[in-house]
Amino acid sequence: MTQDDLLARAQAWLAEDPDQETREELAKLIDAGATDELAARFAGTLQFGTAGLRGEIGAGPMRMNRSVVIRAAAGLAAYLRAKGQEGGLVVIGYDARYKSADFARDTAAVMTGAGLRAALLPRPLPTPVLAYAIRHLGAVAGVEVTASHNPPRDNGYKVYLGDGSQIVPPADAEIAAEIDAIRSLHDVPRPEAGWETLGDEVLNAYLERTDAVLTSGSPRTARTVYTAMHGVGKDVLTAAFARAGFPPPALVAVQAEPDPAFPTVAFPNPEEPGAMDLAFEAARAVDPDLVIANDPDADRCAVAVPDASVVGGWRMLRGDEVGALLAAHLVHKGATGVFAESIVSSSLLGRIAEAAGVGYEETLTGFKWIARVEGLRYGYEEALGYCVDPEGVRDKDGITAALLVTELASVLKEQGRTLTDLLDDLAVAHGLHATDQLSVRVEDLSIIANAMTALRERPPVSLAGLTVVSAEDLTKGTESLPPTDGLRYHLEGDYKARVIVRPSGTEPKLKCYLEVVVPVAASVDLAPARATANEVLVAIKRDLSAAAGL
């Protein structure tokens, strides 16, 4: 693109931009002749995919802004009309990030102008409330405006269809094609009114549904510290805990209310280093049974437990550990149906399911796939996502997961036991399944592409002294999985191990998921087994980094 073409494109975008804030931002860049910055913003358009849209807020087609959202909404509306859904209901939720309410309102206006009915949730609420509302209201689609646990300047646009699940191919490509067909925002009708703003009826129905995950008469004694991580989870979670009869969670006060700046954390993600420090500080003051955290849109749930061997006295459980604990609890409660997980999650779930005689399935990464498993009773993903009530919410739900893990902690507390004790039991029964992740955040996306190329062209023959007995390029698909950009290695030697490498679908990261299984004959063998597993995982990280050129 020549400089003249770039400026012409920027001026054309400026003429259509309905947002004074981004208009002023773009006008300043044009006036300043900021060619490099303009080129970055006009190098293409944010791509609509199975994660919807996600990006940094700002002016131009490579940023999240009202112009981009209006086009996305118009493309979705055109897709729904083409599928015979004219007049159908689209329900729209949003979090408390910058511009979320604006993007939600624009979506409602576009849907109304396209001949669909639109209903806005009454205020910023957790994503699982929106996922619940779609099926509860009989909607043909749903939109959640959220960037989940991304940095403060990001926002996103997540699309669900009428089954209450996030979109999967080919719907994403068909919606993207409709978005690309929109020539001008002036062609998109956006009335000033005509949509419905819902009251609390849907939220109340969701809260009534949360009771379904608990066993009537079960113990409700576990004491918790809770952080909303500056997101929208606090009011809904505390209401759900009150309904259930749990002790009120002790709140991390400075993180309790929504704040789009996320002032106390570098990244508003419980998995990131330092994000849980204030929660652990609060826990040391009140000595609860566990610490619970939601991410900002409350679809994820993090759990921490007391651990005297750790500096500070508290240890974050891995998503795989919580996933196994919830599975074991559901088995104990007599759950039937299919237990499902993504391929990057621990194989321990398969062992638990097999021993319990329940169904088991593995899917591609993401709840858009897990939620579609036929006969699903429970699904989880290692990135702190758990679906414990698929009939209510066909997506990950950090509120109901928090209820269920607190019920489990209460049951164990009545027995004089802890979540850690149950994890030990599972290791003795099925082997110690130790997992870890090598995650590389990049500014330059070519680093990810180069690493994937290096591994494809020169696949490792061994890692940590374990032989690579199978190397699968998942772009070709497998008998049970559709194609995806990823690599999977199975290793054998003194121990069995598994490695999966994939680019993140929502962040500029290369993610490598590691698992090693160490047999455990008795509880006295747990400590040496954990030490061994840690050594193997460290060695796999080292060797994999070298093989990928990282």
Side-chain angles (χ1 to χ4, degrees), residues 421 424-425 427-429 520-530:
D421 293 329
D424 288 350
D425 291 349
V428 172
V520 178
S523 57
V524 295
D525 301 318
L526 280 167
R530 288 198 173 97

Side-chain angles (χ1 to χ4, degrees), residues 134-206:
I134 294 165
R135 298 176 71 208
H136 178 70
L137 296 174
V140 298
V143 171
E144 177 70 18
V145 180
T146 180
S148 191
H149 55 279
N150 270 36
R153 288 301 302 171
D154 284 11
N155 214 327
Y157 199 82
K158 188 184 293 188
V159 175
Y160 299 74
L161 294 182
D163 63 356
S165 302
Q166 297 174 50
I167 55 170
V168 295
D172 56 343
E174 292 172 10
I175 295 169
E178 296 285 4
I179 295 170
D180 290 343
I182 295 159
R183 291 288 160 258
S184 168
L185 290 192
H186 300 310
D187 299 332
V188 180
R190 301 199 310 279
E192 293 292 320
W195 57 88
E196 179 184 6
T197 299
L198 299 167
D200 279 345
E201 298 83 5
V202 169
L203 174 60
N204 291 336
Y206 168 82

Side-chain angles (χ1 to χ4, degrees), residues 285-504:
V286 301
D287 192 28
D289 298 295
L290 67 167
V291 173
I292 290 173
N294 286 139
D295 66 340
D297 69 326
D299 63 350
R300 288 174 168 84
C301 176
V303 180
V305 295
D307 188 335
S309 70
V310 175
V311 176
W314 284 85
R315 177 173 75 89
M316 270 277 287
L317 295 181
R318 292 191 170 277
D320 285 319
E321 292 176 306
V322 177
L325 287 169
L326 292 177
H329 187 39
L330 288 168
V331 165
H332 183 73
K333 286 155 72 87
T336 58
V338 178
F339 284 21
E341 65 180 339
S342 63
I343 58 172
V344 299
S345 304
S346 172
S347 58
L348 176 56
L349 183 67
R351 310 285 185 275
I352 293 171
E354 182 181 17
V358 299
Y360 170 74
E361 275 199 40
E362 217 177 35
T363 75
L364 292 185
T365 308
F367 268 82
K368 57 185 175 283
W369 299 109
I370 294 172
R372 285 180 160 74
V373 168
E374 192 168 341
L376 180 69
R377 175 58 186 87
Y378 168 63
Y380 100 90
E381 191 159 73
E382 58 76 42
L384 310 183
Y386 316 95
C387 174
V388 300
D389 178 26
E391 289 305 305
V393 175
R394 290 192 182 177
D395 198 4
K396 54 188 178 291
D397 182 345
I399 305 297
T400 49
L403 286 170
L404 196 62
V405 78
T406 307
E407 179 186 55
L408 172 57
S410 299
V411 169
L412 293 168
K413 185 177 182 179
E414 296 294 298
Q415 301 168 359
R417 306 178 73 237
T418 66
L419 297 178
T420 306
D421 293 329
L422 181 52
L423 285 172
D424 288 350
D425 291 349
L426 293 172
V428 172
H430 305 292
L432 176 68
H433 289 63
T435 59
D436 202 355
Q437 190 179 129
L438 172 63
S439 182
V440 183
R441 183 180 291 273
V442 300
E443 293 288 334
D444 181 0
L445 292 176
S446 69
I447 294 171
I448 295 176
N450 292 341
M452 295 298 288
T453 299
L455 291 170
R456 285 191 169 103
E457 292 179 350
R458 298 177 298 280
V461 294
S462 70
L463 296 168
L466 303 175
T467 302
V468 177
V469 294
S470 72
E472 298 169 278
D473 187 342
L474 299 175
T475 54
K476 300 168 184 174
T478 70
E479 284 186 11
S480 58
L481 298 171
T484 188
D485 186 6
L487 300 164
R488 178 164 61 180
Y489 307 109
H490 286 97
L491 299 89
E492 291 186 5
D494 292 340
Y495 313 99
K496 290 189 175 181
R498 185 206 64 198
V499 174
I500 294 173
V501 185
R502 59 178 283 272
S504 169

